[in-house]
PDB file of all heavy atoms in Angstrom:
ATOM      1  N   CYS A  76      -9.229  23.404  22.348  1.00 98.00           N
ATOM      2  CA  CYS A  76      -9.105  22.069  22.941  1.00 98.00           C
ATOM      3  C   CYS A  76      -9.876  21.128  22.090  1.00 98.00           C
ATOM      4  O   CYS A  76     -11.088  21.364  21.824  1.00 98.00           O
ATOM      5  CB  CYS A  76      -9.661  22.056  24.368  1.00 98.00           C
ATOM      6  SG  CYS A  76      -9.385  20.510  25.189  1.00 98.00           S
ATOM      7  N   ASP A  77      -9.221  20.077  21.585  1.00 98.00           N
ATOM      8  CA  ASP A  77      -9.875  18.916  20.808  1.00 98.00           C
ATOM      9  C   ASP A  77     -10.166  17.871  21.706  1.00 98.00           C
ATOM     10  O   ASP A  77      -9.252  17.125  22.189  1.00 98.00           O
ATOM     11  CB  ASP A  77      -8.982  18.555  19.607  1.00 98.00           C
ATOM     12  CG  ASP A  77      -9.496  17.398  18.840  1.00 98.00           C
ATOM     13  OD1 ASP A  77     -10.747  17.131  18.959  1.00 98.00           O
ATOM     14  OD2 ASP A  77      -8.686  16.752  18.192  1.00 98.00           O
ATOM     15  N   ILE A  78     -11.401  17.666  22.098  1.00 97.00           N
ATOM     16  CA  ILE A  78     -11.732  16.591  23.087  1.00 97.00           C
ATOM     17  C   ILE A  78     -11.930  15.205  22.394  1.00 97.00           C
ATOM     18  O   ILE A  78     -12.556  15.246  21.302  1.00 97.00           O
ATOM     19  CB  ILE A  78     -12.903  16.924  23.943  1.00 97.00           C
ATOM     20  CG1 ILE A  78     -14.196  17.174  23.182  1.00 97.00           C
ATOM     21  CG2 ILE A  78     -12.616  18.227  24.770  1.00 97.00           C
ATOM     22  CD1 ILE A  78     -15.509  17.329  24.024  1.00 97.00           C
ATOM     23  N   GLY A  79     -11.524  14.189  22.953  1.00 95.00           N
ATOM     24  CA  GLY A  79     -11.548  12.905  22.291  1.00 95.00           C
ATOM     25  C   GLY A  79     -10.777  12.900  20.999  1.00 95.00           C
ATOM     26  O   GLY A  79     -11.216  12.461  19.931  1.00 95.00           O
ATOM     27  N   LEU A 101      -6.775  16.451  23.584  1.00 98.00           N
ATOM     28  CA  LEU A 101      -7.140  15.853  24.853  1.00 98.00           C
ATOM     29  C   LEU A 101      -7.810  14.464  24.548  1.00 98.00           C
ATOM     30  O   LEU A 101      -8.731  14.401  23.771  1.00 98.00           O
ATOM     31  CB  LEU A 101      -8.179  16.736  25.561  1.00 98.00           C
ATOM     32  CG  LEU A 101      -8.711  16.291  26.962  1.00 98.00           C
ATOM     33  CD1 LEU A 101      -7.582  16.245  28.007  1.00 98.00           C
ATOM     34  CD2 LEU A 101      -9.825  17.235  27.415  1.00 98.00           C
ATOM     35  N   ASP A 102      -7.249  13.426  25.196  1.00 96.00           N
ATOM     36  CA  ASP A 102      -7.805  12.106  24.951  1.00 96.00           C
ATOM     37  C   ASP A 102      -7.450  11.198  26.200  1.00 96.00           C
ATOM     38  O   ASP A 102      -6.466  11.425  26.805  1.00 96.00           O
ATOM     39  CB  ASP A 102      -7.231  11.388  23.684  1.00 96.00           C
ATOM     40  CG  ASP A 102      -8.141  10.197  23.245  1.00 96.00           C
ATOM     41  OD1 ASP A 102      -7.979   9.116  23.821  1.00 96.00           O
ATOM     42  OD2 ASP A 102      -9.036  10.408  22.392  1.00 96.00           O
ATOM     43  N   SER A 103      -8.402  10.350  26.544  1.00 95.00           N
ATOM     44  CA  SER A 103      -8.160   9.480  27.689  1.00 95.00           C
ATOM     45  C   SER A 103      -7.237   8.363  27.494  1.00 95.00           C
ATOM     46  O   SER A 103      -6.754   7.787  28.513  1.00 95.00           O
ATOM     47  CB  SER A 103      -9.548   9.008  28.247  1.00 95.00           C
ATOM     48  OG  SER A 103     -10.123   8.197  27.175  1.00 95.00           O
ATOM     49  N   ALA A 127      -3.363  13.543  28.391  1.00 97.00           N
ATOM     50  CA  ALA A 127      -4.068  12.232  28.504  1.00 97.00           C
ATOM     51  C   ALA A 127      -5.024  12.365  29.743  1.00 97.00           C
ATOM     52  O   ALA A 127      -4.536  12.260  30.884  1.00 97.00           O
ATOM     53  CB  ALA A 127      -3.106  11.159  28.713  1.00 97.00           C
ATOM     54  N   ALA A 128      -6.317  12.596  29.444  1.00 96.00           N
ATOM     55  CA  ALA A 128      -7.320  12.760  30.467  1.00 96.00           C
ATOM     56  C   ALA A 128      -8.663  12.737  29.854  1.00 96.00           C
ATOM     57  O   ALA A 128      -8.856  12.904  28.732  1.00 96.00           O
ATOM     58  CB  ALA A 128      -7.120  14.038  31.284  1.00 96.00           C
ATOM     59  N   ARG A 129      -9.662  12.512  30.741  1.00 95.00           N
ATOM     60  CA  ARG A 129     -11.101  12.635  30.341  1.00 95.00           C
ATOM     61  C   ARG A 129     -11.457  14.124  30.493  1.00 95.00           C
ATOM     62  O   ARG A 129     -11.126  14.781  31.518  1.00 95.00           O
ATOM     63  CB  ARG A 129     -11.982  11.766  31.235  1.00 95.00           C
ATOM     64  CG  ARG A 129     -11.643  10.318  31.152  1.00 95.00           C
ATOM     65  CD  ARG A 129     -12.705   9.457  31.745  1.00 95.00           C
ATOM     66  NE  ARG A 129     -13.899   9.539  31.016  1.00 95.00           N
ATOM     67  CZ  ARG A 129     -14.270   8.754  29.976  1.00 95.00           C
ATOM     68  NH1 ARG A 129     -13.442   7.789  29.625  1.00 95.00           N
ATOM     69  NH2 ARG A 129     -15.372   8.893  29.369  1.00 95.00           N
ATOM     70  N   ALA A 130     -12.255  14.647  29.498  1.00 95.00           N
ATOM     71  CA  ALA A 130     -12.600  16.063  29.509  1.00 95.00           C
ATOM     72  C   ALA A 130     -13.386  16.434  30.790  1.00 95.00           C
ATOM     73  O   ALA A 130     -13.141  17.501  31.417  1.00 95.00           O
ATOM     74  CB  ALA A 130     -13.458  16.354  28.267  1.00 95.00           C
ATOM     75  N   GLU A 131     -14.251  15.525  31.265  1.00 95.00           N
ATOM     76  CA  GLU A 131     -15.078  15.913  32.438  1.00 95.00           C
ATOM     77  C   GLU A 131     -14.301  15.862  33.754  1.00 95.00           C
ATOM     78  O   GLU A 131     -14.820  16.276  34.804  1.00 95.00           O
ATOM     79  CB  GLU A 131     -16.285  14.921  32.487  1.00 95.00           C
ATOM     80  CG  GLU A 131     -15.960  13.470  32.882  1.00 95.00           C
ATOM     81  CD  GLU A 131     -15.538  12.589  31.732  1.00 95.00           C
ATOM     82  OE1 GLU A 131     -15.207  13.149  30.655  1.00 95.00           O
ATOM     83  OE2 GLU A 131     -15.552  11.425  31.912  1.00 95.00           O
ATOM     84  N   GLU A 132     -13.063  15.391  33.678  1.00 94.00           N
ATOM     85  CA  GLU A 132     -12.207  15.359  34.848  1.00 94.00           C
ATOM     86  C   GLU A 132     -11.183  16.445  34.917  1.00 94.00           C
ATOM     87  O   GLU A 132     -10.408  16.547  35.890  1.00 94.00           O
ATOM     88  CB  GLU A 132     -11.568  14.002  35.014  1.00 94.00           C
ATOM     89  CG  GLU A 132     -12.606  12.873  35.218  1.00 94.00           C
ATOM     90  CD  GLU A 132     -11.937  11.483  35.059  1.00 94.00           C
ATOM     91  OE1 GLU A 132     -10.747  11.349  34.825  1.00 94.00           O
ATOM     92  OE2 GLU A 132     -12.680  10.464  35.318  1.00 94.00           O
ATOM     93  N   CYS A 133     -11.166  17.350  33.954  1.00 95.00           N
ATOM     94  CA  CYS A 133     -10.140  18.342  33.851  1.00 95.00           C
ATOM     95  C   CYS A 133     -10.680  19.676  34.526  1.00 95.00           C
ATOM     96  O   CYS A 133     -10.927  20.638  33.760  1.00 95.00           O
ATOM     97  CB  CYS A 133      -9.728  18.615  32.418  1.00 95.00           C
ATOM     98  SG  CYS A 133      -8.901  17.224  31.627  1.00 95.00           S
ATOM     99  N   ALA A 134     -10.811  19.677  35.796  1.00 94.00           N
ATOM    100  CA  ALA A 134     -11.287  20.893  36.497  1.00 94.00           C
ATOM    101  C   ALA A 134     -10.367  22.057  36.290  1.00 94.00           C
ATOM    102  O   ALA A 134     -10.907  23.190  36.225  1.00 94.00           O
ATOM    103  CB  ALA A 134     -11.459  20.549  37.896  1.00 94.00           C
ATOM    104  N   ASP A 135      -9.116  21.831  36.095  1.00 96.00           N
ATOM    105  CA  ASP A 135      -8.103  22.900  36.007  1.00 96.00           C
ATOM    106  C   ASP A 135      -8.319  23.721  34.607  1.00 96.00           C
ATOM    107  O   ASP A 135      -7.796  24.732  34.444  1.00 96.00           O
ATOM    108  CB  ASP A 135      -6.746  22.497  36.190  1.00 96.00           C
ATOM    109  CG  ASP A 135      -6.260  21.373  35.179  1.00 96.00           C
ATOM    110  OD1 ASP A 135      -7.059  20.401  35.072  1.00 96.00           O
ATOM    111  OD2 ASP A 135      -5.222  21.556  34.611  1.00 96.00           O
ATOM    112  N   LEU A 136      -8.966  22.936  33.642  1.00 97.00           N
ATOM    113  CA  LEU A 136      -9.098  23.564  32.309  1.00 97.00           C
ATOM    114  C   LEU A 136     -10.472  24.249  32.141  1.00 97.00           C
ATOM    115  O   LEU A 136     -10.699  24.729  31.025  1.00 97.00           O
ATOM    116  CB  LEU A 136      -8.944  22.481  31.282  1.00 97.00           C
ATOM    117  CG  LEU A 136      -7.572  21.731  31.202  1.00 97.00           C
ATOM    118  CD1 LEU A 136      -7.659  20.704  29.982  1.00 97.00           C
ATOM    119  CD2 LEU A 136      -6.459  22.739  30.956  1.00 97.00           C
ATOM    120  N   ARG A 137     -11.208  24.291  33.222  1.00 97.00           N
ATOM    121  CA  ARG A 137     -12.565  24.911  33.166  1.00 97.00           C
ATOM    122  C   ARG A 137     -12.519  26.319  32.691  1.00 97.00           C
ATOM    123  O   ARG A 137     -11.719  27.143  33.192  1.00 97.00           O
ATOM    124  CB  ARG A 137     -13.229  24.769  34.507  1.00 97.00           C
ATOM    125  CG  ARG A 137     -14.747  25.132  34.463  1.00 97.00           C
ATOM    126  CD  ARG A 137     -15.364  24.983  35.825  1.00 97.00           C
ATOM    127  NE  ARG A 137     -16.775  25.175  35.761  1.00 97.00           N
ATOM    128  CZ  ARG A 137     -17.698  24.296  35.548  1.00 97.00           C
ATOM    129  NH1 ARG A 137     -17.396  23.034  35.303  1.00 97.00           N
ATOM    130  NH2 ARG A 137     -18.999  24.631  35.519  1.00 97.00           N
ATOM    131  N   VAL A 143     -13.615  24.872  21.722  1.00 98.00           N
ATOM    132  CA  VAL A 143     -13.481  23.464  21.972  1.00 98.00           C
ATOM    133  C   VAL A 143     -14.171  22.751  20.750  1.00 98.00           C
ATOM    134  O   VAL A 143     -15.126  23.201  20.198  1.00 98.00           O
ATOM    135  CB  VAL A 143     -14.269  23.024  23.299  1.00 98.00           C
ATOM    136  CG1 VAL A 143     -14.326  21.539  23.411  1.00 98.00           C
ATOM    137  CG2 VAL A 143     -13.643  23.571  24.476  1.00 98.00           C
ATOM    138  N   LEU A 154     -21.657  15.500  24.044  1.00 96.00           N
ATOM    139  CA  LEU A 154     -20.470  16.276  23.646  1.00 96.00           C
ATOM    140  C   LEU A 154     -20.534  17.653  24.204  1.00 96.00           C
ATOM    141  O   LEU A 154     -19.564  18.175  24.768  1.00 96.00           O
ATOM    142  CB  LEU A 154     -20.509  16.506  22.078  1.00 96.00           C
ATOM    143  CG  LEU A 154     -19.890  15.427  21.184  1.00 96.00           C
ATOM    144  CD1 LEU A 154     -19.882  15.988  19.767  1.00 96.00           C
ATOM    145  CD2 LEU A 154     -18.487  15.136  21.630  1.00 96.00           C
ATOM    146  N   GLU A 156     -22.044  18.645  27.009  1.00 97.00           N
ATOM    147  CA  GLU A 156     -21.755  18.600  28.448  1.00 97.00           C
ATOM    148  C   GLU A 156     -20.264  18.403  28.712  1.00 97.00           C
ATOM    149  O   GLU A 156     -19.706  18.986  29.722  1.00 97.00           O
ATOM    150  CB  GLU A 156     -22.557  17.570  29.226  1.00 97.00           C
ATOM    151  CG  GLU A 156     -22.417  17.681  30.692  1.00 97.00           C
ATOM    152  CD  GLU A 156     -23.415  16.846  31.499  1.00 97.00           C
ATOM    153  OE1 GLU A 156     -24.346  16.194  30.859  1.00 97.00           O
ATOM    154  OE2 GLU A 156     -23.229  16.722  32.724  1.00 97.00           O
ATOM    155  N   LEU A 157     -19.618  17.610  27.845  1.00 97.00           N
ATOM    156  CA  LEU A 157     -18.199  17.417  28.003  1.00 97.00           C
ATOM    157  C   LEU A 157     -17.347  18.628  27.719  1.00 97.00           C
ATOM    158  O   LEU A 157     -16.344  18.957  28.424  1.00 97.00           O
ATOM    159  CB  LEU A 157     -17.752  16.249  27.203  1.00 97.00           C
ATOM    160  CG  LEU A 157     -18.200  14.804  27.550  1.00 97.00           C
ATOM    161  CD1 LEU A 157     -17.845  13.823  26.506  1.00 97.00           C
ATOM    162  CD2 LEU A 157     -17.807  14.395  28.883  1.00 97.00           C
ATOM    163  N   GLY A 158     -17.726  19.292  26.637  1.00 97.00           N
ATOM    164  CA  GLY A 158     -16.895  20.334  26.109  1.00 97.00           C
ATOM    165  C   GLY A 158     -17.191  21.764  26.572  1.00 97.00           C
ATOM    166  O   GLY A 158     -16.256  22.582  26.744  1.00 97.00           O
ATOM    167  N   PRO A 160     -18.122  23.227  29.411  1.00 98.00           N
ATOM    168  CA  PRO A 160     -17.437  23.710  30.626  1.00 98.00           C
ATOM    169  C   PRO A 160     -16.002  24.171  30.388  1.00 98.00           C
ATOM    170  O   PRO A 160     -15.496  25.003  31.212  1.00 98.00           O
ATOM    171  CB  PRO A 160     -17.516  22.532  31.571  1.00 98.00           C
ATOM    172  CG  PRO A 160     -18.730  21.758  31.153  1.00 98.00           C
ATOM    173  CD  PRO A 160     -18.705  21.894  29.589  1.00 98.00           C
ATOM    174  N   LEU A 161     -15.332  23.714  29.409  1.00 98.00           N
ATOM    175  CA  LEU A 161     -13.976  24.083  29.186  1.00 98.00           C
ATOM    176  C   LEU A 161     -13.867  25.366  28.405  1.00 98.00           C
ATOM    177  O   LEU A 161     -12.775  26.009  28.299  1.00 98.00           O
ATOM    178  CB  LEU A 161     -13.217  22.992  28.286  1.00 98.00           C
ATOM    179  CG  LEU A 161     -13.266  21.582  28.910  1.00 98.00           C
ATOM    180  CD1 LEU A 161     -12.512  20.580  27.937  1.00 98.00           C
ATOM    181  CD2 LEU A 161     -12.640  21.501  30.269  1.00 98.00           C
ATOM    182  N   PRO A 222     -19.551  19.642  34.280  1.00 96.00           N
ATOM    183  CA  PRO A 222     -20.053  18.341  33.813  1.00 96.00           C
ATOM    184  C   PRO A 222     -20.216  17.323  34.941  1.00 96.00           C
ATOM    185  O   PRO A 222     -19.475  17.404  35.920  1.00 96.00           O
ATOM    186  CB  PRO A 222     -18.983  17.822  32.870  1.00 96.00           C
ATOM    187  CG  PRO A 222     -17.717  18.408  33.433  1.00 96.00           C
ATOM    188  CD  PRO A 222     -18.075  19.711  33.984  1.00 96.00           C
ATOM    189  N   ARG A 223     -21.157  16.396  34.851  1.00 95.00           N
ATOM    190  CA  ARG A 223     -21.354  15.280  35.723  1.00 95.00           C
ATOM    191  C   ARG A 223     -20.321  14.233  35.471  1.00 95.00           C
ATOM    192  O   ARG A 223     -19.562  14.343  34.531  1.00 95.00           O
ATOM    193  CB  ARG A 223     -22.764  14.753  35.636  1.00 95.00           C
ATOM    194  CG  ARG A 223     -23.800  15.760  35.924  1.00 95.00           C
ATOM    195  CD  ARG A 223     -25.199  15.287  35.473  1.00 95.00           C
ATOM    196  NE  ARG A 223     -25.293  15.222  34.079  1.00 95.00           N
ATOM    197  CZ  ARG A 223     -26.213  14.524  33.353  1.00 95.00           C
ATOM    198  NH1 ARG A 223     -27.181  13.880  33.987  1.00 95.00           N
ATOM    199  NH2 ARG A 223     -26.153  14.508  32.026  1.00 95.00           N
ATOM    200  N   TYR A 225     -19.020  10.825  33.852  1.00 92.00           N
ATOM    201  CA  TYR A 225     -19.305  10.286  32.588  1.00 92.00           C
ATOM    202  C   TYR A 225     -20.397   9.196  32.646  1.00 92.00           C
ATOM    203  O   TYR A 225     -21.299   9.150  31.724  1.00 92.00           O
ATOM    204  CB  TYR A 225     -18.089   9.725  31.885  1.00 92.00           C
ATOM    205  CG  TYR A 225     -18.436   9.400  30.409  1.00 92.00           C
ATOM    206  CD1 TYR A 225     -18.575  10.468  29.490  1.00 92.00           C
ATOM    207  CD2 TYR A 225     -18.543   8.117  29.962  1.00 92.00           C
ATOM    208  CE1 TYR A 225     -18.861  10.164  28.160  1.00 92.00           C
ATOM    209  CE2 TYR A 225     -18.883   7.827  28.626  1.00 92.00           C
ATOM    210  CZ  TYR A 225     -19.019   8.877  27.759  1.00 92.00           C
ATOM    211  OH  TYR A 225     -19.266   8.602  26.425  1.00 92.00           O
ATOM    212  N   ILE A 228     -23.522  11.154  32.642  1.00 95.00           N
ATOM    213  CA  ILE A 228     -23.778  11.882  31.418  1.00 95.00           C
ATOM    214  C   ILE A 228     -24.345  10.875  30.298  1.00 95.00           C
ATOM    215  O   ILE A 228     -25.302  11.174  29.657  1.00 95.00           O
ATOM    216  CB  ILE A 228     -22.433  12.492  30.841  1.00 95.00           C
ATOM    217  CG1 ILE A 228     -21.973  13.546  31.774  1.00 95.00           C
ATOM    218  CG2 ILE A 228     -22.612  12.993  29.479  1.00 95.00           C
ATOM    219  CD1 ILE A 228     -20.574  14.133  31.487  1.00 95.00           C
TER     220      ILE A 228
END
Side-chain angles (χ1 to χ4, degrees):
C76 185
D77 176 18
I78 62 172
L101 182 66
D102 198 276
S103 61
R129 299 191 67 89
E131 71 275 15
E132 296 171 357
C133 294
D135 60 310
L136 298 182
R137 190 178 182 89
V143 174
L154 275 185
E156 186 170 355
L157 293 174
L161 304 179
R223 299 165 294 162
Y225 189 71
I228 295 173

